[in-house]
């Protein structure tokens, strides 16, 4: 890792593939883990590319959870309008999940700021936020259910050893 001058300013560079983020948990499906890892690895080089990959990851997560529609905006609406309380998402995700779609759109399409007439770019902090939201989704959809299932299996094994019926 070192510093290099670019147009009279310094920029920190990392070895290719270097990321300060942790690898996704083992409970996350490989295809999602791969997209996330790639989004994390390009963050310091291209926040736009990172945000676009986070958008792709979000869409894959939603589709894997059964939220399939004509486009990502409609899939997010399905998630946000979920009637089944068992499938509901925490407010921290509910309030932020659409940010990934918007930043991903800024990355993929030349969307213009109507007040400044300039193409809207993705800042590194915004791309970082997208990764944080993806991490919350990983916890909600993959890690916590796997942990709960393992704990319940351990409880049921104890109950069975004591001659008791399994937990409800």
């Amino acid at each position: 890792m070192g510093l290099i001058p670019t147009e009279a300013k310094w920029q920190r560079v990392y070895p290719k593939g270097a990321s300060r983020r942790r690898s996704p948990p083992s409970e996350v499906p490989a295809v999602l883990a791969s997209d996330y890892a790639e989004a994390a690895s390009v963050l310091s080089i291209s926040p736009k590319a990172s945000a676009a990959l986070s958008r792709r990851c979000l869409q894959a997560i939603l589709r894997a959870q059964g939220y399939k529609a004509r486009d990502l905006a409609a899939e997010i609406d399905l998630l946000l309008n979920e009637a089944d309380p068992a499938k509901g998402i925490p407010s921290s995700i509910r309030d932020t999940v659409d940010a990934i779609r918007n930043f991903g759109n800024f990355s993929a399409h030349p969307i213009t700021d109507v007040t400044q007439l300039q193409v809207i770019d993705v800042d590194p902090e915004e791309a970082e936020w997208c990764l944080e939201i993806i991490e919350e989704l990983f916890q909600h959809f993959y890690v916590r259910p796997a942990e709960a299932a393992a704990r319940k299996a351990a409880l049921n094994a104890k109950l069975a050893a004591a001659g008791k019926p399994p937990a409800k």
Side-chain angles (χ1 to χ4, degrees):
M1 175 171 61
L3 297 175
I4 58 169
T6 60
E7 298 180 31
K9 64 180 183 177
W10 289 90
Q11 177 182 359
R12 183 171 304 274
V13 295
Y14 297 90
K16 183 178 180 184
S19 173
R20 294 174 287 168
R21 304 197 76 81
R22 291 186 187 153
S23 296
S26 60
E27 296 86 357
V28 175
V31 67
L32 296 174
S34 174
D35 282 348
Y36 171 86
E38 188 173 349
S41 72
V42 300
L43 176 64
S44 64
I45 302 164
S46 174
K48 285 190 289 190
S50 180
L53 286 163
S54 289
R55 184 188 188 286
R56 173 184 164 130
C57 197
L58 169 62
Q59 191 159 32
I61 291 169
L62 294 181
R63 289 182 175 177
Q65 297 302 316
Y67 300 105
K68 298 177 183 174
R70 68 185 184 288
D71 59 28
L72 182 55
E75 291 165 350
I76 291 170
D77 286 342
L78 289 173
L79 173 70
L80 295 177
N81 295 318
E82 177 61 62
D84 182 354
K87 293 175 79 178
I89 57 172
S91 61
S92 61
I93 297 173
R94 174 177 293 287
D95 294 342
T96 59
V97 70
D98 195 42
I100 297 173
R101 181 187 62 83
N102 284 296
F103 291 128
N105 285 345
F106 294 155
S107 299
H109 311 289
I111 299 171
T112 304
D113 179 330
V114 295
T115 61
Q116 297 179 359
L117 300 178
Q118 294 180 352
V119 173
I120 298 174
D121 216 349
V122 178
D123 295 331
E125 298 81 20
E126 294 164 340
E128 182 90 24
W129 185 31
C130 290
L131 292 170
E132 291 168 4
I133 297 167
I134 294 294
E135 290 166 358
E136 287 185 54
L137 289 165
F138 285 165
Q139 288 294 317
H140 178 73
F141 286 122
Y142 300 103
V143 176
R144 288 187 195 111
E147 289 172 347
R151 287 181 181 143
K152 188 165 186 180
L155 169 61
N156 284 336
K158 258 187 169 177
L159 289 169
K164 301 287 184 183
K168 298 176 185 176

